[in-house]
Amino acid sequence: MFHPDGAYSGLAVDDLEAAHRFYADTLGIRVEVLEGSGFLMLHLASGGRVLVYGKPHHEPASFTVLNFPVVDVEAAVDDLRSRGVDTKIYDDENFPTDSRGIMREGGPLIAWFRDPAGNVLAVLEE
């Protein structure tokens, strides 16, 4: 019988080892290697989980696949940049961001960045 309890999302990457290093070492997320499956499970501090799986010929999502709420987007961007993460990924009029990659109009302060597979992630101020 279907029960939505315990649902979690997933995302594809082209290199599981690079994804493991990025999510664990760069972002500080607890990453579990699901033995025998070839998958990773990200364990978020909120209690949520994200399945990460390798996909041949992976094409990164053109939309945000994972959001990280923060109290201060400016401080989060400073921290990400100190870890070598580029937050300036958009230069078009649809996503008018400043020189640090922060969009300041049309919603919460938000900055996007990419994982090693090119998937779009974001920090947004709540």
Side-chain angles (χ1 to χ4, degrees):
M1 182 173 220
F2 173 78
H3 292 283
D5 301 347
Y8 54 89
S9 66
L11 60 91
V13 298
D14 56 357
D15 183 335
L16 280 171
E17 289 180 22
H20 189 181
R21 284 190 306 273
F22 178 77
Y23 286 102
D25 299 339
T26 304
L27 298 186
I29 296 172
R30 185 168 72 87
V31 177
E32 176 185 7
V33 177
L34 301 179
E35 295 299 330
S37 69
F39 295 159
L40 304 174
M41 183 66 77
L42 307 182
H43 294 272
L44 307 175
S46 65
R49 298 178 299 159
V50 179
L51 183 71
V52 178
Y53 56 95
K55 180 180 176 193
H57 312 293
H58 166 72
E59 291 188 27
S62 61
F63 51 86
T64 307
V65 298
L66 188 55
N67 292 288
F68 297 94
V70 297
V71 173
D72 181 346
V73 78
E74 300 274 354
V77 165
D78 289 343
D79 188 29
L80 287 167
R81 293 178 116 195
S82 75
R83 298 172 191 221
V85 176
D86 183 13
T87 57
K88 178 65 174 163
I89 67 170
Y90 295 121
D91 285 322
D92 62 41
E93 62 189 41
N94 293 323
F95 298 101
T97 59
D98 65 16
S99 63
R100 301 177 69 222
I102 300 171
M103 187 173 79
R104 299 176 184 280
E105 301 173 13
L109 294 180
I110 185 167
W112 293 275
F113 59 102
R114 296 185 189 279
D115 73 2
N119 295 310
V120 178
L121 314 175
V123 288
L124 67 139
E125 194 168 284
E126 289 191 333

